[in-house]
Amino acid sequence: MSARRHAPTHRAEGSAVYFRGARVAPKIAAATGGAVVAAGLGLAATPSALADDSVWDRVAACESGGNWSINTGNGYYGGLQFSPSTWRSFGGTEYAPNAHQATKAEQIAVAKRTLQGQGPGAWPVCSVRAGLTRANGGADANAQPGGSTTPREDDSASRGSDRPSSGALVVDGKFGPATTRALEAWIGVRQDGRLTTADIKTLQGKIGAARDGRLGPETTRKLRATMGLSSNGAGDFRGDRATVRALQQFLNDGAPARTAPSAPSTSGSLALDGRFGPATTRALERWLGVTQDGRFSTGDIKALQKKIGAVQDGRLGPETTRKLRATMGLAPNGAGDFRFNYATVKALQSFLNDGAPARTVPSAPSTSGTLELDGRFGPATTRALQGWLGVNQDGSLSTNDIKALQKKIGAVQDGRLGPETTRKLRATMGLAPNGAGDFRANYATVKALQNFLNGN
């Protein structure tokens, strides 16, 4: 049986290309990661009452042998073999950079969105073998992990990992009354569930945007920066699912207590304003052990690059920013020169206020514990983690130990260390996800864990 294909409106130049058994024009393949899309397709989400997630197990068995964390290097990832472009197009990067780093439930959610947009032909061979249809696959443009339809914001049913243990909001990407009230509580206005012009101006004042009472790209960009995210080009953030999801998580995590834009740290003197001025420069120079003149010279830049493990070329670009963010336990955000990136500078100011020198030299022991902060998950770190978990401290992390950890941090207790457990562990330590799989092999996460265990 041949796979269903859509004929493109305009044939692209050059020869057709093959994508997983489907023959399509090259520009169509490039735009969609190989899955075929009819021009102008825009269907509303269909009911998912008849969805049967077992059909996705059959598709995965055909595509990847049922290995949801597979990465063979063939350009396709995860149990359902997503291409990076298709994963991005249907919102997968909300969960992980690539499909194999996401949970099974997250991969299925993205698959349901893909099914709604592209139909079973997105898996031209395996959809036929598995008997996949829009109905039994739960095609839904707004599918969520753990459920085949988009949940209501006030739904009190349990939603597994989508409901943070530290907050009351469902992380569903919908800006409804509950999210509005939580946002109003954060900005200190009346919590009536209606975002008025005055409320918008108060929000804009809090995040450093122009106080014009209108929600547009600048306000969204500033809000995302306050949450440590790079711009995604969205206009009114209320209509941008990724930004609303991030906001819900941010509010659940206690945003009011830790995100006031200009509040000085209690343990330092820098204002957390995201501006790389003379005071921040001098504090950074102090950490580096160079002359504190408030001017960031080429020699100072090289000293920074040496300290964070970047190439010592004296230029501030994406690599230095990425390494600096990793040193602070943050994921890359695509910024170039960090001095002009609000979120990175603000994180740096907080980092320096918190006494960065004492906790970031790779091999220096913490003053409040016995672990070296070297980012290596060895026997000493294992025993300290076991002590925190209340299990036998033998220096060997067994399957039962892993399950005890997963129980403590609210992850699925499957005894395997993957992206979900790492994400939950980082959340427990107050850190954002960084896309890592097994945390034991991730320098930034292990180093943060060592510091966390020293303080506990």
Side-chain angles (χ1 to χ4, degrees), residues 352-369:
L352 294 169
N353 276 340
D354 289 343
R359 63 185 180 94
T360 59
V361 179
S363 297
S366 166
T367 57
S368 58

PDB file of all heavy atoms in Angstrom, residues 352-369:
ATOM      1  N   LEU A 352      26.879  36.933  41.015  1.00  0.00           N
ATOM      2  CA  LEU A 352      27.971  37.642  41.690  1.00  0.00           C
ATOM      3  C   LEU A 352      27.553  38.087  43.091  1.00  0.00           C
ATOM      4  O   LEU A 352      28.353  38.052  44.029  1.00  0.00           O
ATOM      5  CB  LEU A 352      28.400  38.851  40.852  1.00  0.00           C
ATOM      6  CG  LEU A 352      29.034  38.519  39.495  1.00  0.00           C
ATOM      7  CD1 LEU A 352      29.168  39.771  38.629  1.00  0.00           C
ATOM      8  CD2 LEU A 352      30.387  37.844  39.673  1.00  0.00           C
ATOM      9  N   ASN A 353      26.303  38.489  43.243  1.00  0.00           N
ATOM     10  CA  ASN A 353      25.808  38.862  44.564  1.00  0.00           C
ATOM     11  C   ASN A 353      25.838  37.701  45.544  1.00  0.00           C
ATOM     12  O   ASN A 353      26.026  37.876  46.743  1.00  0.00           O
ATOM     13  CB  ASN A 353      24.369  39.384  44.466  1.00  0.00           C
ATOM     14  CG  ASN A 353      24.299  40.860  44.110  1.00  0.00           C
ATOM     15  OD1 ASN A 353      25.261  41.591  44.280  1.00  0.00           O
ATOM     16  ND2 ASN A 353      23.154  41.286  43.606  1.00  0.00           N
ATOM     17  N   ASP A 354      25.626  36.503  45.015  1.00  0.00           N
ATOM     18  CA  ASP A 354      25.556  35.319  45.863  1.00  0.00           C
ATOM     19  C   ASP A 354      26.926  34.752  46.224  1.00  0.00           C
ATOM     20  O   ASP A 354      27.023  33.651  46.763  1.00  0.00           O
ATOM     21  CB  ASP A 354      24.721  34.229  45.183  1.00  0.00           C
ATOM     22  CG  ASP A 354      23.241  34.575  45.161  1.00  0.00           C
ATOM     23  OD1 ASP A 354      22.842  35.470  45.928  1.00  0.00           O
ATOM     24  OD2 ASP A 354      22.499  33.961  44.387  1.00  0.00           O
ATOM     25  N   GLY A 355      27.963  35.488  45.884  1.00  0.00           N
ATOM     26  CA  GLY A 355      29.304  35.045  46.259  1.00  0.00           C
ATOM     27  C   GLY A 355      29.879  34.046  45.287  1.00  0.00           C
ATOM     28  O   GLY A 355      30.428  33.007  45.679  1.00  0.00           O
ATOM     29  N   ALA A 356      29.767  34.329  43.987  1.00  0.00           N
ATOM     30  CA  ALA A 356      30.226  33.409  42.951  1.00  0.00           C
ATOM     31  C   ALA A 356      31.624  32.854  43.174  1.00  0.00           C
ATOM     32  O   ALA A 356      31.842  31.665  42.966  1.00  0.00           O
ATOM     33  CB  ALA A 356      30.160  34.107  41.586  1.00  0.00           C
ATOM     34  N   PRO A 357      32.588  33.653  43.640  1.00  0.00           N
ATOM     35  CA  PRO A 357      33.939  33.097  43.768  1.00  0.00           C
ATOM     36  C   PRO A 357      33.989  31.854  44.649  1.00  0.00           C
ATOM     37  O   PRO A 357      34.739  30.931  44.393  1.00  0.00           O
ATOM     38  CB  PRO A 357      34.740  34.245  44.392  1.00  0.00           C
ATOM     39  CG  PRO A 357      33.972  35.479  44.048  1.00  0.00           C
ATOM     40  CD  PRO A 357      32.538  35.064  44.026  1.00  0.00           C
ATOM     41  N   ALA A 358      33.180  31.837  45.714  1.00  0.00           N
ATOM     42  CA  ALA A 358      33.266  30.735  46.661  1.00  0.00           C
ATOM     43  C   ALA A 358      32.601  29.471  46.166  1.00  0.00           C
ATOM     44  O   ALA A 358      32.831  28.408  46.682  1.00  0.00           O
ATOM     45  CB  ALA A 358      32.621  31.146  47.987  1.00  0.00           C
ATOM     46  N   ARG A 359      31.765  29.598  45.097  1.00  0.00           N
ATOM     47  CA  ARG A 359      31.026  28.411  44.705  1.00  0.00           C
ATOM     48  C   ARG A 359      31.182  28.017  43.246  1.00  0.00           C
ATOM     49  O   ARG A 359      30.511  27.126  42.780  1.00  0.00           O
ATOM     50  CB  ARG A 359      29.534  28.594  44.984  1.00  0.00           C
ATOM     51  CG  ARG A 359      28.857  29.703  44.223  1.00  0.00           C
ATOM     52  CD  ARG A 359      27.409  29.837  44.700  1.00  0.00           C
ATOM     53  NE  ARG A 359      26.697  30.883  44.013  1.00  0.00           N
ATOM     54  CZ  ARG A 359      25.944  30.684  42.939  1.00  0.00           C
ATOM     55  NH1 ARG A 359      25.851  29.500  42.416  1.00  0.00           N
ATOM     56  NH2 ARG A 359      25.309  31.693  42.396  1.00  0.00           N
ATOM     57  N   THR A 360      32.113  28.678  42.516  1.00  0.00           N
ATOM     58  CA  THR A 360      32.224  28.348  41.109  1.00  0.00           C
ATOM     59  C   THR A 360      33.611  27.945  40.663  1.00  0.00           C
ATOM     60  O   THR A 360      33.787  27.566  39.532  1.00  0.00           O
ATOM     61  CB  THR A 360      31.765  29.531  40.246  1.00  0.00           C
ATOM     62  OG1 THR A 360      32.592  30.657  40.560  1.00  0.00           O
ATOM     63  CG2 THR A 360      30.330  29.863  40.510  1.00  0.00           C
ATOM     64  N   VAL A 361      34.619  28.057  41.505  1.00  0.00           N
ATOM     65  CA  VAL A 361      35.921  27.525  41.123  1.00  0.00           C
ATOM     66  C   VAL A 361      35.770  26.017  41.016  1.00  0.00           C
ATOM     67  O   VAL A 361      35.339  25.363  41.958  1.00  0.00           O
ATOM     68  CB  VAL A 361      36.995  27.894  42.169  1.00  0.00           C
ATOM     69  CG1 VAL A 361      38.328  27.314  41.786  1.00  0.00           C
ATOM     70  CG2 VAL A 361      37.082  29.402  42.303  1.00  0.00           C
ATOM     71  N   PRO A 362      36.078  25.385  39.866  1.00  0.00           N
ATOM     72  CA  PRO A 362      35.698  23.999  39.646  1.00  0.00           C
ATOM     73  C   PRO A 362      36.062  23.024  40.742  1.00  0.00           C
ATOM     74  O   PRO A 362      35.324  22.100  41.002  1.00  0.00           O
ATOM     75  CB  PRO A 362      36.416  23.667  38.337  1.00  0.00           C
ATOM     76  CG  PRO A 362      36.487  24.975  37.625  1.00  0.00           C
ATOM     77  CD  PRO A 362      36.675  26.009  38.700  1.00  0.00           C
ATOM     78  N   SER A 363      37.178  23.173  41.420  1.00  0.00           N
ATOM     79  CA  SER A 363      37.578  22.162  42.387  1.00  0.00           C
ATOM     80  C   SER A 363      37.561  22.649  43.827  1.00  0.00           C
ATOM     81  O   SER A 363      38.018  21.955  44.715  1.00  0.00           O
ATOM     82  CB  SER A 363      38.979  21.641  42.040  1.00  0.00           C
ATOM     83  OG  SER A 363      38.964  21.019  40.783  1.00  0.00           O
ATOM     84  N   ALA A 364      37.064  23.846  44.055  1.00  0.00           N
ATOM     85  CA  ALA A 364      37.094  24.392  45.407  1.00  0.00           C
ATOM     86  C   ALA A 364      35.987  23.792  46.255  1.00  0.00           C
ATOM     87  O   ALA A 364      34.842  23.757  45.836  1.00  0.00           O
ATOM     88  CB  ALA A 364      36.935  25.913  45.359  1.00  0.00           C
ATOM     89  N   PRO A 365      36.283  23.306  47.449  1.00  0.00           N
ATOM     90  CA  PRO A 365      35.236  22.765  48.310  1.00  0.00           C
ATOM     91  C   PRO A 365      34.330  23.868  48.824  1.00  0.00           C
ATOM     92  O   PRO A 365      34.773  24.980  49.062  1.00  0.00           O
ATOM     93  CB  PRO A 365      36.007  22.110  49.455  1.00  0.00           C
ATOM     94  CG  PRO A 365      37.320  22.824  49.483  1.00  0.00           C
ATOM     95  CD  PRO A 365      37.612  23.214  48.070  1.00  0.00           C
ATOM     96  N   SER A 366      33.049  23.553  48.961  1.00  0.00           N
ATOM     97  CA  SER A 366      32.096  24.507  49.530  1.00  0.00           C
ATOM     98  C   SER A 366      32.399  24.714  51.002  1.00  0.00           C
ATOM     99  O   SER A 366      32.807  23.795  51.703  1.00  0.00           O
ATOM    100  CB  SER A 366      30.676  23.964  49.349  1.00  0.00           C
ATOM    101  OG  SER A 366      29.784  24.672  50.147  1.00  0.00           O
ATOM    102  N   THR A 367      32.156  25.935  51.459  1.00  0.00           N
ATOM    103  CA  THR A 367      32.422  26.215  52.870  1.00  0.00           C
ATOM    104  C   THR A 367      31.386  25.579  53.771  1.00  0.00           C
ATOM    105  O   THR A 367      31.598  25.453  54.964  1.00  0.00           O
ATOM    106  CB  THR A 367      32.417  27.738  53.102  1.00  0.00           C
ATOM    107  OG1 THR A 367      31.153  28.273  52.677  1.00  0.00           O
ATOM    108  CG2 THR A 367      33.532  28.397  52.322  1.00  0.00           C
ATOM    109  N   SER A 368      30.206  25.185  53.197  1.00  0.00           N
ATOM    110  CA  SER A 368      29.147  24.640  54.033  1.00  0.00           C
ATOM    111  C   SER A 368      29.018  23.132  53.909  1.00  0.00           C
ATOM    112  O   SER A 368      28.102  22.548  54.429  1.00  0.00           O
ATOM    113  CB  SER A 368      27.812  25.288  53.655  1.00  0.00           C
ATOM    114  OG  SER A 368      27.538  25.066  52.292  1.00  0.00           O
ATOM    115  N   GLY A 369      29.958  22.476  53.176  1.00  0.00           N
ATOM    116  CA  GLY A 369      29.868  21.040  53.000  1.00  0.00           C
ATOM    117  C   GLY A 369      31.217  20.456  52.656  1.00  0.00           C
ATOM    118  O   GLY A 369      32.232  21.137  52.678  1.00  0.00           O
TER     119      GLY A 369
END
